[in-house]
Amino acid sequence: MSNPREGHVLLGVNVLVLGYLPAAWQSELLHKDSFLDPAYWTDIGAVAERGTLDAIFLADSPLLGDPAYDANAGRLDPTVTWSHVAAATEHVGLIATASSTLNDPYDLAQRLLSLDHVSAGRAGWNIVTTRNAPAAQNFGLPDMPPREDRYDRAAEFVDVVLALWESARTGQEARHHGDFFDLDARLRVPPSRQGRPVLFQAGGSPKGRALAGRKADGVFAAELTKEGAIKHYREVKQHATGAGRSPEEVKILPGLLLSLGSTEEEARRRSDELHDLGPASYSVQWLSQSIGIDASRLDLDEKFPEDVLAAIVDPRHAGGSIGFRQSIYEQIRRSKPTVREYLRQTRYTGSGHSGFVGTPEQLADHIEDWYRSGAADGFNLQPDVLADGLAVIADEVVPLLRKRGLFRHEYTTDTLRGHLRAASGRRPTAA
């Protein structure tokens, strides 16, 4: 372990509506319309603030999810949902995922800045590029643009949004004439209390990491190994330095899929029971979706073919998220499992995002290890079932981190940007 650093771990929770596993809806703590119930959402905000969490994230979805591998096939608009939660909370950050591929920059800039006002400076935008052809068709497009074009558009989209937010501060029109957007406009919304809404970036491609280093305040990363996380952490921080920024200005928060129990055996039993309640094909379909290759066609008792592994890391391969694919590739290369062994492992180690099955104490150990090793500035936690998993984070995991001097005892700031800055401190040299 390295010497303790100043500052503290950042903790967010990815509110996957009901939980990240398809069987989450079967929890006795939920009812059939929980995701439509205003009380469900205000309770999420209240529990998050009880644990003094930095932020809660909510994804948008421009298409109906496949319930075979998506626990949350239907979703509400995150900016509307978080506006409701903002009225019932005072401190926790409210981050909405929104696509730069299928939105208009003026409309999105206004919606996010409006959320920032109703939350008194707690809004954030998690920038993503959409890759699904059915989503494109929902917007009248025959297919998604190529990956390179989507990231070029994303970089320009962010520039336009930032210029529009600046127009709210100065009262002067934003003038932009680029390859994708052409406008002379200014927002009529007043300027942000926190300067501007916070930017998170979720892409793991080289262009995505470069964009994060130049513009983002944080990265919602996909990491399966600590070694890979350290490498990607340093890469984004170097991009920040190259853009004339301090590396501390961009925070790295890997996603972490959680099944927690009072003992490791209880946590594994919980994970197994939830997986068994879901579709039998869940693991195969989720892996297929993540790597863009039909995993059901692979021989379960053979190792992954070399051509499949090469496709996973080939940036020209159109399927899946590059960040997820790279993490999965590194995990397979490290342990060299058969396909069946890998699918069994993903119950406990995650698929795309890293998984964790164990006790709150073991989770605190894991968070501390990655934090002190220079693999992360914190984590975006994703419980298997949100209805009880979030309470365990707030009431059991957070107190353990506080005892280790890794997390605050109370909020000292009341904006999302303030939370990020309060966590900054001296980074120990990674071992």
Side-chain angles (χ1 to χ4, degrees):
M1 288 289 184
S2 304
N3 292 329
R5 66 177 246 179
E6 300 168 358
H8 64 76
V9 170
L10 283 161
L11 288 183
V13 168
N14 191 21
V15 181
L16 291 168
V17 185
L18 303 179
Y20 86 85
L21 286 177
W25 67 271
Q26 299 185 55
S27 169
E28 294 179 354
L29 299 172
L30 299 170
H31 57 81
K32 67 181 182 67
D33 293 324
S34 284
F35 90 101
L36 298 173
D37 184 352
Y40 176 75
W41 295 103
T42 54
D43 186 58
I44 288 171
V47 176
E49 287 211 328
R50 189 169 79 217
T52 64
L53 300 184
D54 292 286
I56 44 182
F57 289 65
L58 183 58
D60 191 12
S61 183
L63 76 164
L64 186 66
D66 183 345
Y69 62 80
D70 189 346
N72 308 282
R75 306 186 190 203
L76 302 177
D77 181 275
T79 57
V80 175
T81 303
W82 282 162
S83 293
H84 169 73
V85 174
T89 56
E90 296 181 356
H91 293 94
V92 68
L94 303 166
I95 300 176
T97 296
S99 169
S100 63
T101 307
L102 298 174
N103 274 295
D104 173 81
Y106 186 93
D107 174 67
L108 186 61
Q110 182 163 272
R111 280 162 46 207
L112 289 166
L113 191 53
S114 297
L115 171 61
D116 197 59
H117 276 284
V118 300
S119 66
R122 293 184 282 137
W125 172 28
N126 185 37
I127 308 160
V128 298
T129 64
T130 306
R131 63 179 181 272
N132 309 87
Q137 292 156 14
N138 284 347
F139 286 78
L141 303 174
D143 201 350
M144 278 296 165
R147 187 186 305 275
E148 292 295 304
D149 290 350
R150 295 200 310 271
Y151 274 96
D152 288 342
R153 174 188 165 95
E156 190 174 323
F157 194 110
V158 172
D159 286 340
V160 174
V161 169
L162 290 173
L164 287 166
W165 286 341
E166 180 66 7
S167 79
R169 187 184 69 82
T170 65
Q172 304 298 312
E173 283 194 342
R175 302 183 183 277
H176 180 93
H177 308 288
D179 295 331
F180 296 90
F181 306 106
D182 192 336
L183 80 163
D184 296 302
R186 75 178 178 90
L187 295 181
R188 298 316 195 254
V189 183
S192 168
R193 180 168 172 259
Q194 59 174 339
R196 59 167 173 77
V198 166
L199 296 182
F200 266 78
Q201 196 273 340
S205 70
K207 281 196 172 184
R209 290 183 181 137
L211 174 61
R214 292 195 309 271
K215 301 289 187 181
D217 304 298
V219 177
F220 181 9
E223 307 291 354
L224 287 173
T225 67
K226 187 170 74 171
E227 292 75 15
I230 291 171
K231 175 184 175 182
H232 296 161
Y233 183 99
R234 291 173 176 170
E235 181 182 347
V236 174
K237 301 284 186 172
Q238 287 169 357
H239 282 305
T241 301
R245 305 173 68 197
S246 165
E248 281 293 328
E249 290 183 47
V250 55
K251 307 296 186 183
I252 315 298
L253 277 69
L256 188 59
L257 310 175
L258 301 179
S259 287
L260 297 174
S262 58
T263 65
E264 187 173 348
E265 179 184 3
E266 180 184 307
R268 286 183 175 269
R269 184 167 60 249
R270 174 185 171 102
S271 177
D272 285 338
E273 289 174 352
L274 285 167
H275 276 88
D276 291 341
L277 284 170
S281 58
Y282 166 71
S283 295
V284 171
Q285 288 169 318
W286 178 252
L287 179 61
S288 300
Q289 189 267 347
S290 296
I291 65 176
I293 294 168
D294 185 358
S296 68
R297 297 183 180 180
L298 303 178
D299 188 328
L300 290 177
D301 294 309
E302 295 291 334
K303 298 185 185 300
F304 284 82
E306 286 299 322
D307 61 328
V308 169
L309 293 177
I312 288 175
V313 291
D314 186 345
R316 297 168 296 178
H317 175 49
S321 155
I322 284 185
F324 274 21
R325 281 162 36 198
Q326 287 179 329
S327 293
I328 291 168
Y329 173 85
E330 290 171 5
Q331 189 181 45
I332 292 171
R333 278 296 191 196
R334 180 172 180 152
S335 58
K336 297 180 173 57
T338 65
V339 177
R340 189 188 304 277
E341 288 169 341
Y342 182 76
L343 293 173
R344 190 180 301 121
Q345 289 172 12
T346 60
R347 286 194 169 198
Y348 308 120
T349 60
S351 179
H353 287 299
S354 182
F356 181 88
V357 178
T359 66
E361 181 78 34
Q362 289 170 329
L363 177 57
D365 290 342
H366 179 86
I367 291 172
E368 181 172 12
D369 178 35
W370 278 47
Y371 178 72
R372 296 201 188 282
S373 297
D377 293 305
F379 285 90
N380 208 11
L381 305 174
Q382 304 177 65
D384 47 17
V385 179
L386 193 70
D388 57 354
L390 179 56
V392 174
I393 292 168
D395 299 333
E396 299 184 42
V397 177
V398 165
L400 290 169
L401 294 173
R402 286 172 175 162
K403 288 180 180 178
R404 302 177 188 207
L406 292 171
F407 202 62
R408 59 169 163 252
H409 287 263
E410 59 186 18
Y411 287 109
T412 58
T413 54
D414 59 3
T415 66
L416 177 53
R417 188 173 303 282
H419 299 344
L420 299 187
R421 287 174 175 168
S424 297
R426 176 177 52 84
R427 163 64 63 184
T429 303

